[in-house]
Amino acid sequence: MDSPAARPAPSTEIGASGGDGRAPGAQVSLLVLYTARWEECRRFSADLGLTFTAERHRRGPEHYAAVLPDGMVLELYPARDDRLTGALRLGLAVDAEVTRPPLAPGRHRFVDPDGRTVEINAEGRTEWRTECGSAQG
């Protein structure tokens, strides 16, 4: 049995981590998305500027992984009966110049092939092209 000192004390206080809602020392390092539309989700994410590599760990399924600039890993795995696609809202900051088509700097909202909302904060200096208008959601 764990001793009470070995576990973090529960907190019911909002902002108990420092008053601003940030958890000191905590950072998301891995996000796995399960999808029945594996290739479509890879292409969708690649169009947002993410570079994926095909991987397989031991006897696990083949999947795609992208390492983001802060070191976080985003993986796309094929959905299975025990690992279904679920509701998720994802926010990414991307270089506006590497998206296809290029995005105007600012916030954009898209829906991925599985119906998940993906909010994009496009950063950088890209001239707005009128033909990009259809890419915004």
Side-chain angles (χ1 to χ4, degrees):
M1 182 170 169
D2 291 340
S3 69
R7 292 179 298 205
S11 174
T12 56
E13 187 177 316
I14 295 175
S17 60
D20 63 359
R22 295 182 189 196
Q27 176 178 329
V28 175
S29 62
L30 173 67
L31 178 63
V32 177
L33 300 177
Y34 294 94
T35 175
R37 295 171 183 87
W38 194 43
E39 280 297 326
E40 292 95 331
C41 283
R42 185 201 56 78
R43 281 191 300 271
F44 174 85
S45 299
D47 285 348
L48 295 174
L50 281 73
T51 302
F52 284 92
T53 303
E55 293 186 343
R56 174 173 278 169
H57 307 294
R58 292 182 225 123
R59 294 183 184 179
E62 186 173 346
H63 62 279
Y64 292 115
V67 179
L68 306 183
D70 67 354
M72 182 180 142
V73 176
L74 175 62
E75 293 182 329
L76 300 175
Y77 269 81
R80 307 183 322 206
D81 288 342
D82 62 335
R83 293 189 177 146
L84 302 174
T85 296
L88 175 78
R89 188 172 185 157
L90 182 62
L92 297 170
V94 301
D95 181 343
E97 296 178 13
V98 300
T99 62
R100 290 184 306 249
L103 294 173
R107 292 181 179 223
H108 306 269
R109 185 176 291 173
F110 298 92
V111 175
D112 82 359
D114 284 315
R116 293 179 285 247
T117 299
V118 180
E119 292 187 11
I120 299 299
N121 184 18
E123 301 170 346
R125 295 176 27 185
T126 301
E127 282 188 35
W128 179 248
R129 298 181 191 171
T130 57
E131 68 265 20
C132 297
S134 63
Q136 290 193 57

